[in-house]
């Protein structure tokens, strides 16, 4: 078969166009095109289908061996070549950039909101065909596309004789016109959106003038395809509502003390029942390090692929053959499920024991099935190292792989033994294979169930991984283990946040096209149709904290453009390295921090005299980690932390000749006591320029090296948490890549505003009142009475005193205003939904908090206090939510 690719593209003489054909194995073959007229490019390709029916490809522009520009690859071009007797396929394409309505091509829309069922492959029925291809992403799930026009073949403008179009790819429709009856004629036509059930029930004609096409001369057995400009219809942008709740927080009548993948289905039922379309959850990856409650932190995964065993729904598994053990487990299930919060250790120990018993009972049969073997082949790349990691962790009693003598790093040579059921090595790890198979099967079923209910399951991709996790053990080259990821100070944590994760070695990751991240995203699409990128700012730059630090104040953005001593001097500040980069400790500062009596003890115990009136920490106390290990008194320890972070500049971790102004240095004693007013002014100018302007273009380029590859790796709807200290370039990147931003009314992005204005939020955004890291609406309302009064008066326009605690009617008013925002999605926490009911809300608002970011050892154990089954029966509550959503146009 001969395929002729044609495209019009104006390029300078130094550039060439290539057509890149995707093979069945995922590889891409690039074919050079020839410019036969000004701007007209062509490529002839001899192709033998050999079982291939659909051919996907995209165009790119290259100069020498460098790709300057490429089309939107998530959904570029597709042709159907699996037709009998087809000799030649000629296509005339148009260049496809990332569209503004990218979200309509996401599986969140094509598989959930606008779900139309299985796609049909088009097959020609005549010897010669003119194929018209058009994109119509606005069509809703109950609509299809037809073509009607002036010629008898096109129905002479009668809808009952219109030519049906077939959706050959998401939102991409093709229509075949018999060339034998229309040769060389000019045809006038339009596309019409009609209902599946009745073409005469409210048909919608595309906007704009009638389209025209002149039939080309064609040979027998040829298809000529014209790719047309998008069809637009008078269909408004959809806005949808949803709920945020961690899976572990779910509760049903039969769950085992923690939410599970079976409970997730019941939550989908409630979401759909109340007219919502999104169910957002927190990360569900395995976080098991110590088998204690400290593993409850869902953002510290040990594997970006493995699911957490606590989410297994035991009700979906065969019953235990041991009747006495089954009775004991049933009793324990009821006991744990009656607890107000999660007992992480008891729940996970019990589920682990249950799964061990079931594995001994059912494992051999399950793992002999064709379904299991297929799954193992697909997942073995990550699964085998993960299972070996788990075995070594549990058998050695530690996750610190530096102590696994002979196994300090994953050895690829071990894979064969670990994959062979006849070996001892396989038998040692097979249990972990079995557990992950059960989890994957249940989570995929929950995903499909949500799609059938037209509910978008939205997952969460943490920015980091545990430094002792399987990912680091398997591929350490991707990580910088001498640093800790975190966040600079904010209103939630005045000392910044230290998450403890290793930072990424982006230089190494970029060498293979960020394959680690691509695989991570592609694995996630097996379970979700939308995702939230946790701390998307980390793809621009990450706040990297030295290993010797506990707090985040001594961190620096990496990568970033540090300052030379000469550049600092250029701001008018005389740079003194020894003075500005060492802790500035005087008698007065010590008395201010510790009090006059204790200051003497601190001087004698922890400090050495340095110069007249100045002190330096003793060597055994000169880092925060050393202090943490040796000092038990919390107040004393925090005071020493403050001393050690009291510097004006921090040397760059990669180049000691470069410096970064210490974050929030204006609150440091060195700033207040050492600098003159003139020096403070100079420092402030330097500080503002460094943090808000100097790195803008640099960080833009850094983000564009990484994020485009990840955004186009899947069809999931891309959302991002873009809160915090936001560089100027972030909105630009988000717009270019069509990533949905996060908008929180209490954290406005408009300068000078105390509260955000939901009516002004961008359409491509997610509106919410709070996240898992924030106090719930009820907690926020009572945290600061003055701020609540400002909100009550300025936002709600009320003149009386704000009531406390927050009454249900007022919670409903605040939530309704957020639902009416311009944002595409409005996702509210389950706790906030419950706040609109005086009957159902938890009496203690403080017990609804999911996480406290300022506490790195927070116990993640919040669980909804009522069963989902009982919540479904609260008709007034459910009807109230449905009414709020309907009234908001969602």
């Amino acid at each position: 078969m001969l395929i002729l690719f044609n495209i019009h593209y104006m390029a300078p003489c130094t550039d060439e166009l290539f057509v890149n054909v995707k093979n069945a194995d995922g590889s891409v073959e690039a074919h050079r095109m020839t410019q036969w007229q000004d701007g007209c490019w062509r490529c002839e390709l001899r192709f033998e289908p050999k079982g291939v029916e659909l051919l996907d490809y995209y165009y790119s522009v290259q100069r020498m061996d460098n790709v300057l520009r490429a089309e939107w690859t998530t959904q570029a071009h597709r042709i159907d070549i699996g037709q009998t007797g087809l000799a030649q396929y000629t296509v005339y394409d148009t260049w496809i950039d990332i569209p503004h309505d990218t979200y309509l091509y996401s599986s969140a829309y094509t598989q959930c909101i606008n779900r139309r069922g299985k796609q049909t492959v088009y097959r020609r029925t005549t010897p010669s065909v003119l194929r018209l291809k058009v994109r119509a992403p606005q069509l809703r799930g109950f609509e299809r596309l037809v073509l009607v026009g002036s010629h008898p073949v096109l129905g002479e403008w009668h809808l009952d004789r219109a030519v049906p179009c077939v959706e050959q790819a998401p939102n991409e429709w093709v229509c075949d016109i018999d060339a034998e009856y229309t040769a060389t004629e000019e045809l006038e036509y339009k596309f019409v959106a009609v209902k599946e059930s009745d073409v005469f029930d409210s048909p919608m004609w595309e906007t704009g003038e009638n389209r025209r096409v002149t039939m080309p001369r064609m040979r027998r057995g040829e298809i000529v395809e014209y790719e047309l400009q998008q069809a637009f219809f008078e269909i408004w942008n959809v806005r949808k509502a949803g709920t945020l709740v961690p899976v572990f927080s779910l509760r049903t009548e039969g769950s085992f003390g923690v939410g599970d993948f079976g409970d997730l289905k019941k939550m989908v039922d409630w979401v759909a029942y109340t007219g919502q379309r999104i169910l957002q959850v927190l990360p569900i990856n395995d976080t098991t390090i110590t088998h204690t409650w400290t593993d409850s932190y869902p953002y510290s995964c040990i594997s970006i692929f493995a699911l957490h065993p606590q989410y297994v729904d035991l009700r979906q598994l065969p019953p235990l053959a041991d009747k006495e053990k089954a009775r004991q487990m049933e009793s324990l299930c009821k006991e744990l499920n009656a607890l107000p919060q999660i007992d992480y250790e008891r729940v996970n120990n019990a589920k682990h024991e249950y799964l061990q018993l079931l594995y001994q009972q059912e494992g051999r049969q399950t793992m002999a099935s064709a379904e299991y073997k297929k799954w193992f082949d697909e997942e073995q790349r990550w699964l085998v190292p993960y299972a070996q990691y788990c075995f070594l962790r549990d058998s050695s009693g530690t996750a610190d792989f530096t102590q696994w003598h002979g196994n300090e790093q994953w050895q690829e040579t071990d894979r064969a033994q670990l994959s062979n059921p006849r070996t001892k090595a396989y038998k040692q790890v097979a249990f972990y294979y079995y557990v992950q198979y059960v989890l994957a099967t249940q989570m995929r079923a929950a995903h499909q169930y949500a799609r059938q209910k037209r509910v978008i399951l939205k997952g969460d991709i943490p920015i980091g991984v545990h430094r002792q996790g399987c990912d680091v053990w398997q591929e350490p080259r991707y990580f910088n283990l001498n640093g800790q990821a975190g966040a600079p100070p904010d209103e939630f944590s005045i000392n910044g946040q230290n998450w403890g994760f290793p930072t990424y070695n982006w230089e190494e990751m970029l060498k293979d096209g960020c394959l680690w991240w691509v695989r991570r995203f592609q694995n996630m699409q097996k379970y979700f149709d939308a995702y939230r990128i946790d701390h998307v700012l980390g793809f621009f730059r990450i706040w990297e904290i030295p290993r010797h630090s506990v707090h985040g104040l001594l961190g620096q953005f990496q990568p970033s453009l540090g300052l030379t001593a000469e550049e600092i001097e250029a701001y008018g500040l005389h740079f003194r390295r020894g003075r500005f980069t060492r802790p500035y400790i005087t008698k007065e500062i010590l008395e201010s921090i510790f009090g006059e009596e204790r200051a003497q003890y601190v001087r004698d115990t922890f400090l050495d005299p340095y110069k007249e009136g100045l002190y330096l920490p003793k060597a055994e106390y000169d880092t925060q980690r050393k202090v943490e290990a040796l000092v038990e008194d919390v107040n004393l320890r925090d005071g020493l932390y403050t001393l050690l972070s009291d510097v004006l500049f921090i040397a760059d971790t990669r180049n000691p000749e470069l410096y970064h102004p210490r974050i929030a240095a204006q609150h440091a004693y060195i700033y207040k006591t050492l600098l003159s007013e003139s020096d403070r002014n100079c420092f402030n100018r330097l500080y503002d320029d460094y943090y808000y302007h100097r790195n803008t273009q640099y960080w833009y380029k850094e983000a564009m090296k990484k994020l485009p590859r990840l955004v186009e790796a899947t069809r999931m709807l891309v959302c991002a948490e873009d809160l915090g200290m936001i560089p100027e370039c972030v909105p630009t990147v988000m717009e270019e890549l069509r990533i949905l931003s996060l908008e929180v009314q209490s954290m406005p992005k408009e300068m000078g505003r105390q509260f955000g204005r939901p009516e002004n939020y961008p359409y491509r955004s997610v509106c919410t009142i709070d996240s898992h890291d924030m106090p719930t609406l009820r907690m926020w309302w009572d945290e600061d009475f003055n701020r609540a009064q400002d909100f009550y008066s300025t936002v709600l326009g009320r003149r009386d005193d704000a009531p406390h605690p927050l009454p249900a009617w007022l919670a409903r008013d605040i939530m309704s205003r957020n639902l009416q925002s311009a944002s595409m999605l409005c996702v509210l926490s389950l706790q906030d939904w419950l706040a609109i009911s005086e009957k159902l809300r938890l009496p203690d608002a403080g017990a609804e908090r999911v996480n406290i970011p300022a506490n790195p050892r927070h116990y993640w154990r919040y669980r909804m206090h009522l069963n989902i089954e009982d919540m479904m029966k609260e008709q007034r509550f459910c009807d109230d939510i449905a009414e709020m959503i309907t009234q908001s146009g969602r």
Side-chain angles (χ1 to χ4, degrees), residues 683-701:
F683 180 83
N684 290 342
R685 284 191 293 107
L686 177 153
Y687 184 96
D688 291 342
D689 183 49
Y690 174 82
Y691 280 111
Y692 299 105
H693 304 293
R694 177 181 177 89
N695 290 283
T696 297
Q697 285 302 313
Y698 180 63
W699 286 338
Y700 169 85
K701 293 177 181 178

Side-chain angles (χ1 to χ4, degrees), residues 256-326:
F256 208 113
V258 68
D260 57 44
F261 293 149
D263 298 338
L264 192 59
K265 289 184 178 180
K266 291 188 180 296
M267 193 64 191
V268 167
D269 287 336
W270 180 78
V271 166
Y273 182 64
T274 52
Q276 303 178 66
R277 285 291 172 262
I278 308 103
L279 176 55
Q280 180 176 336
V281 299
L282 300 191
I284 57 175
N285 296 99
D286 191 0
T287 58
T288 308
I289 288 287
T290 64
H291 293 287
T292 66
W293 68 264
T294 57
D295 298 341
S296 65
Y297 182 22
Y299 287 86
S300 183
C301 67
I302 63 167
S303 170
I304 58 174
F305 302 103
L307 302 175
H308 200 304
Q310 72 174 349
Y311 296 125
V312 65
D313 179 8
L314 300 179
R315 294 162 293 185
Q316 297 183 44
L317 302 177
L320 293 177
D322 185 334
K323 300 301 181 184
E324 177 59 23
K325 181 58 71 172

Side-chain angles (χ1 to χ4, degrees), residues 413-479:
T413 53
D414 293 340
R415 183 179 294 276
Q417 289 288 310
L418 293 164
S419 304
N420 184 350
R422 296 184 178 87
T423 64
K424 177 183 177 181
Y426 179 91
K427 292 178 173 63
Q428 290 174 334
V429 301
F431 169 70
Y432 303 104
Y433 295 157
Y434 172 77
V435 171
Q436 285 301 311
Y437 173 68
V438 170
L439 289 163
T441 301
Q442 291 187 358
M443 185 57 203
R444 285 185 176 182
H447 181 209
Q448 290 304 316
Y449 185 80
R451 284 183 166 184
Q452 292 166 9
K453 293 282 186 175
R454 298 183 184 273
V455 170
I456 302 167
L457 272 188
K458 181 182 176 186
D460 198 333
I461 295 185
I463 187 60
V465 299
H466 199 287
R467 66 175 52 249
Q468 293 180 346
C470 179
D471 298 305
V472 180
W473 178 65
Q474 182 182 359
E475 299 178 292
R477 68 185 184 279
Y478 289 143
F479 304 93

Side-chain angles (χ1 to χ4, degrees), residues 586-647:
T586 65
K587 177 182 177 182
E588 292 75 21
I589 291 174
L590 290 172
E591 291 177 353
S592 175
I593 295 175
F594 300 100
E596 188 172 347
E597 292 184 8
R598 207 172 196 186
Q600 182 62 48
Y601 166 75
V602 171
R603 282 199 300 272
D604 295 343
T605 308
F606 302 101
L607 305 177
D608 285 329
Y610 170 52
K611 290 182 179 179
E612 185 176 350
L614 297 178
Y615 301 86
L616 285 177
K618 293 179 183 292
E620 57 268 38
Y621 300 107
D622 63 359
T623 72
Q624 292 182 347
R625 288 294 179 198
K626 291 180 181 179
V627 170
E628 180 186 43
L630 297 174
V631 180
E632 295 183 0
D633 184 311
V634 174
N635 292 329
L636 176 61
R637 190 171 62 202
D638 287 346
L640 293 172
Y641 288 167
T642 299
L643 283 181
L644 292 169
S645 61
D646 202 70
V647 298

Side-chain angles (χ1 to χ4, degrees), residues 850-865:
V850 175
N851 180 40
I852 302 175
N855 178 11
R857 291 178 59 82
H858 179 74
Y859 192 171
W860 297 63
R861 61 189 314 198
Y862 165 72
R863 199 157 182 233
M864 57 189 295
H865 61 285

Side-chain angles (χ1 to χ4, degrees), residues 563-582 647-652 656-662 670 674-675 679 682-683 686:
L563 295 159
T564 64
E566 291 76 17
E567 286 178 304
I568 295 172
E569 297 266 359
Y571 283 92
L573 181 66
H574 178 53
F575 182 69
R576 290 166 284 177
R577 176 190 171 98
R579 184 63 61 89
F580 286 168
T581 60
R582 290 176 182 162
V647 298
L648 209 58
F649 288 91
I650 297 169
D652 188 88
E657 298 302 316
L658 299 177
Y659 304 92
H660 308 264
R662 203 214 77 177
I670 188 172
L674 182 61
L675 298 183
D679 284 344
C682 293
F683 180 83
L686 177 153

Side-chain angles (χ1 to χ4, degrees), residues 4 82 146 159 334 357 480 485 490 529 825:
L4 299 178
V146 299
L159 278 179
K334 292 179 180 178
L357 293 170
N480 292 319
D490 57 25
D529 288 302
L825 306 180

